Amino acid sequence: MGGIYVWGFLIVVVIGAGLITAGAVWKGRAVRPFAASRARSVARREYARDLRRAADVVIAAARRSAGEGEPAIVTVEAVVLTVRERYGYAVVERQHAAAALRRRFEHRRCAVDCVTDAYG
């Protein structure tokens, strides 16, 4: 009866070792793009997402730093600097940052208490 447990244990160990080996060999392949076009589209989506996040961060920081009754001043340059510093982009197009800031400015209803240069 003890032999059955030993064989069962060995089978479980062998299957586990096989799964670990397969995981080590195929690690990360499911998330890697298969084509250059897919890699470019993923990079574009991440860039747009990072611009949106940076615009939100800049708007929130401007609102916190504005005094009582003063408008929060949100600049495109602040968004560009935030994207460079936080997300590590070497080149950030000013027009892309301005477009992202305009979208987030309207989405967060900033016209009530904010001023921006994104429309200029």
Side-chain angles (χ1 to χ4, degrees):
M1 195 66 154
I4 294 174
Y5 292 117
V6 171
W7 282 106
F9 177 75
L10 286 175
I11 290 173
V12 169
V13 168
V14 168
I15 290 173
L19 289 173
I20 290 171
T21 303
V25 170
W26 293 309
K27 177 181 170 187
R29 289 201 180 159
V31 296
R32 288 188 192 147
F34 295 107
S37 62
R38 182 178 286 171
R40 282 190 299 275
S41 80
V42 168
R44 277 193 304 270
R45 282 194 308 268
E46 287 179 354
Y47 178 67
R49 182 196 65 210
D50 292 341
L51 281 170
R52 282 192 309 271
R53 287 180 178 173
D56 285 339
V57 166
V58 169
I59 289 170
R63 282 180 166 168
R64 280 192 305 272
S65 66
E68 184 69 33
E70 294 179 354
I73 300 171
V74 185
T75 63
V76 174
E77 189 60 32
V79 174
V80 170
L81 289 174
T82 303
V83 170
R84 285 182 182 161
E85 291 172 359
R86 276 192 166 210
Y87 302 106
Y89 289 96
V91 178
V92 179
E93 299 261 347
R94 181 170 164 64
Q95 63 189 11
H96 294 160
L101 181 56
R102 283 191 300 270
R103 283 192 299 274
R104 300 313 291 172
F105 193 82
E106 293 166 3
H107 177 75
R108 297 186 68 176
R109 296 188 177 127
C110 292
V112 175
D113 61 345
C114 299
V115 177
T116 186
D117 62 348
Y119 291 97

